Amino acid sequence: MIGDVGLFGPGSVTWRLHQEPILLLGGLRSLYLQALHPRAVAAVAQNSRYRADPWGRLTRTSAYVGTVVWGTTEEVEAASLRVRRMHARMTAVDPRTGEQFRIDAPDLLRWVHVTEVESFLTTAVRAGVRLSPAEIDRYYTEQLRAAELMGLDPATVPATAAEVSAYYDDMLPQLSLTKDSVETALFLTVPSVPENWGGRAFRLGLTLGPTRWAYFGIAATAMAMLPPWARRLYGGLGWPTTDLTADLSARGLRFLLSTVLATIPRSLRVAPIREAALARAAAQAGTT
């Protein structure tokens, strides 16, 4: 639809933030955080094929986030409806109690939402994206619309930096490192190469080659960027200088990404859905 800029639009902090490639690092950080919630990680372990198809799951998740941020109102509503219907059919069993639960329970959806948006925001800021405290709060408030799409009551979702911090404090007693947490974190750090990817030499190259070591460095940075309480849950990972080192690594990665992407044609480095959103925004501006 001409002029339909979706949920956010060109004046939003969301559009400004989500043009940053460094948010890929934030997405990885959020997965480490999510794995510390026993039921959330059990739900993924019991309902997802992420071990067999890790990049497919990543692609689908990225496509959904991209649609919510850049899509038209119709595209966003259709994508969220598909996800809600899929989640409504799924259950999991708490390995600690044997209790069966729905994976679309509000407390689980809230955990996934908050860890995702907080990770995007924190990673971007620590990588050098300049946002004022008011803009940080505005991003959280804008993202209430994304939370509502998943079936959450916006009134129950943290909407400022202070509320997010308080939410984490409240959640800490419920978090722990489980068998699923450990397996997920190990997989995120050293993902396997699927057997159906190319020949043996190709798989061996991905396993031992420079690509694997580069990814390991990115994963280590994502882990180092976790809040200190989360690193403690993972076994006290990190030195007193971990935060500073992680910030420097994130800033270096952001600079490297911007340098490399600048050499790539725009048609290859800007997602079509974002280009379409920018075109609609330009059309809207032209009619006002």
Side-chain angles (χ1 to χ4, degrees):
M1 184 182 203
I2 296 176
D4 181 354
V5 293
L7 299 186
F8 306 107
S12 66
V13 179
T14 296
W15 271 30
R16 177 182 169 189
L17 198 65
H18 282 261
Q19 68 178 333
E20 292 281 343
I22 197 63
L23 261 63
L24 292 172
L25 179 64
L28 184 57
R29 177 188 184 270
S30 74
L31 296 178
Y32 282 114
L33 269 181
Q34 291 166 16
L36 291 172
H37 190 300
R39 285 201 170 191
V41 73
V44 173
Q46 295 173 35
N47 286 279
S48 172
R49 295 181 62 253
Y50 76 92
R51 294 179 186 277
D53 185 23
W55 308 118
R57 182 173 186 269
L58 178 62
T59 299
R60 290 188 293 273
T61 301
S62 298
Y64 175 76
V65 173
T67 299
V68 171
V69 171
W70 304 107
T72 64
T73 304
E74 183 179 353
E75 289 171 336
V76 171
E77 290 176 349
S80 64
L81 180 60
R82 285 194 298 271
V83 172
R84 288 199 308 273
R85 285 176 172 171
M86 178 180 65
H87 287 171
R89 298 193 298 266
M90 295 181 178
T91 61
V93 176
D94 189 326
R96 303 164 302 171
T97 66
E99 180 185 359
Q100 187 176 57
F101 61 91
R102 292 173 60 102
I103 74 165
D104 62 354
D107 61 319
L108 300 183
L109 295 178
R110 189 179 305 110
W111 174 250
V112 171
H113 171 81
V114 174
T115 54
E116 182 179 88
V117 298
E118 184 271 325
S119 289
F120 284 154
L121 184 57
T122 297
T123 300
V125 170
R126 292 177 65 177
V129 177
R130 295 186 178 181
L131 294 175
S132 68
E135 289 172 323
I136 288 173
D137 283 348
R138 185 178 166 194
Y139 176 72
Y140 283 128
T141 303
E142 289 174 357
Q143 288 302 308
L144 293 179
R145 304 188 71 181
E148 189 173 15
L149 286 172
M150 298 308 297
L152 286 167
D153 177 356
T156 68
V157 180
T160 66
E163 290 179 4
V164 169
S165 179
Y167 170 76
Y168 278 153
D169 288 342
D170 290 342
M171 289 297 297
L172 194 52
Q174 302 179 41
L175 307 180
S176 64
L177 194 67
T178 65
K179 179 176 180 289
D180 286 332
S181 305
V182 172
E183 291 178 352
T184 299
L186 286 174
F187 184 82
L188 291 172
T189 306
V190 190
S192 60
V193 179
E195 287 294 328
N196 60 350
W197 278 26
R200 183 172 181 276
F202 177 75
R203 292 195 302 273
L204 186 63
L206 285 181
T207 302
L208 302 177
T211 301
R212 168 54 59 90
W213 289 106
Y215 174 80
F216 180 77
I218 293 171
T221 299
M223 177 69 81
M225 294 189 77
L226 292 174
W229 54 261
R231 295 201 303 267
R232 286 194 292 271
L233 285 173
Y234 273 116
L237 301 175
W239 301 91
T241 57
T242 294
D243 287 328
L244 176 60
T245 303
D247 290 355
L248 292 174
S249 295
R251 287 172 181 263
L253 181 59
R254 180 176 179 239
F255 175 77
L256 178 63
L257 286 171
S258 64
T259 301
V260 171
L261 290 174
T263 66
I264 299 174
R266 182 177 176 85
S267 61
L268 297 178
R269 60 184 165 85
V270 178
I273 194 167
R274 181 183 163 208
E275 283 283 38
L278 295 175
R280 292 193 303 274
Q284 183 189 66
T287 60
T288 58

